[in-house]
């Protein structure tokens, strides 16, 4: 693994850790509680970020430009029926490990073909591995902030104060 990849992965791990602090000690019922005008829930955020790790890891590892299963599934923003905190946390941690393993084997400058998007059919873009990892970092950081707001509105818990 290059020092650059290690640095990006360390930042991604920190963002993941903050997300897991945010959902620490919530109940299964709180997974689907809407606490703001947004439809986002803690379970939906965890599910979306898990799916994001899985999808982008497939894109990175396969490097074939094919669309991974579920990439465009809008239900990924909701907690699956019957989801539990333990189950979603475990799935997220497993997806994160898979991303870390794939990234460790990849060269940061390697160009990876991306799947076509529904809004640009026929256009195939290529991103270097570093951009894929930075995209995952950006998504994780953004949604960790969303989760913090949702959690604070549920029970007043503040992720920054809960660190450590």
């Amino acid at each position: 693994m290059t020092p650059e990849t290690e640095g990006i992965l360390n930042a991604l791990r920190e963002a993941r850790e903050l997300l897991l602090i945010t959902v620490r000690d919530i109940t299964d019922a709180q997974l689907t509680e809407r606490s703001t005008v947004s439809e986002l829930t803690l379970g939906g955020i965890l599910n979306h970020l898990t799916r994001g790790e899985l999808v982008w890891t497939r894109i990175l590892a396969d490097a074939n430009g094919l669309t991974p299963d579920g990439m465009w599934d809008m239900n990924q923003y909701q907690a699956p029926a019957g989801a539990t905190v333990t189950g979603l946390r475990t799935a997220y941690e497993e997806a994160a490990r898979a991303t870390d393993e794939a990234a460790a084997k990849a060269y940061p400058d390697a160009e990876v073909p991306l799947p076509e998007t529904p809004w640009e059919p026929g256009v195939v873009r290529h991103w270097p591995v570093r951009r894929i990892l930075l995209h995952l970092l950006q998504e994780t950081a953004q949604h960790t902030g969303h989760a913090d707001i949702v959690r604070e509105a549920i029970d007043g818990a503040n992720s920054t104060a809960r660190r450590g």
Side-chain angles (χ1 to χ4, degrees), residues 1-14 134 137:
M1 177 177 353
T2 68
E4 176 185 20
T5 299
E6 187 172 358
I8 295 170
L9 286 177
N10 283 337
L12 180 55
R13 287 182 195 114
E14 289 174 15
L134 289 170
L137 172 59

Side-chain angles (χ1 to χ4, degrees), residues 9 12-13 15-16 19 46-60 76 91-102 132-133 136-137 139-140:
L9 286 177
L12 180 55
R13 287 182 195 114
R16 291 174 184 147
L19 176 68
L46 263 174
N47 189 50
H48 169 61
L49 289 175
T50 300
R51 296 281 293 278
E53 294 261 1
L54 293 171
V55 162
W56 284 100
T57 297
R58 280 277 46 92
I59 292 168
L60 173 67
Q76 67 181 287
Y92 183 63
E93 290 166 343
E94 289 173 0
R97 271 192 298 279
T99 298
D100 290 357
E101 289 170 10
I132 291 172
L133 296 177
L136 276 170
L137 172 59
E139 277 283 304
T140 303

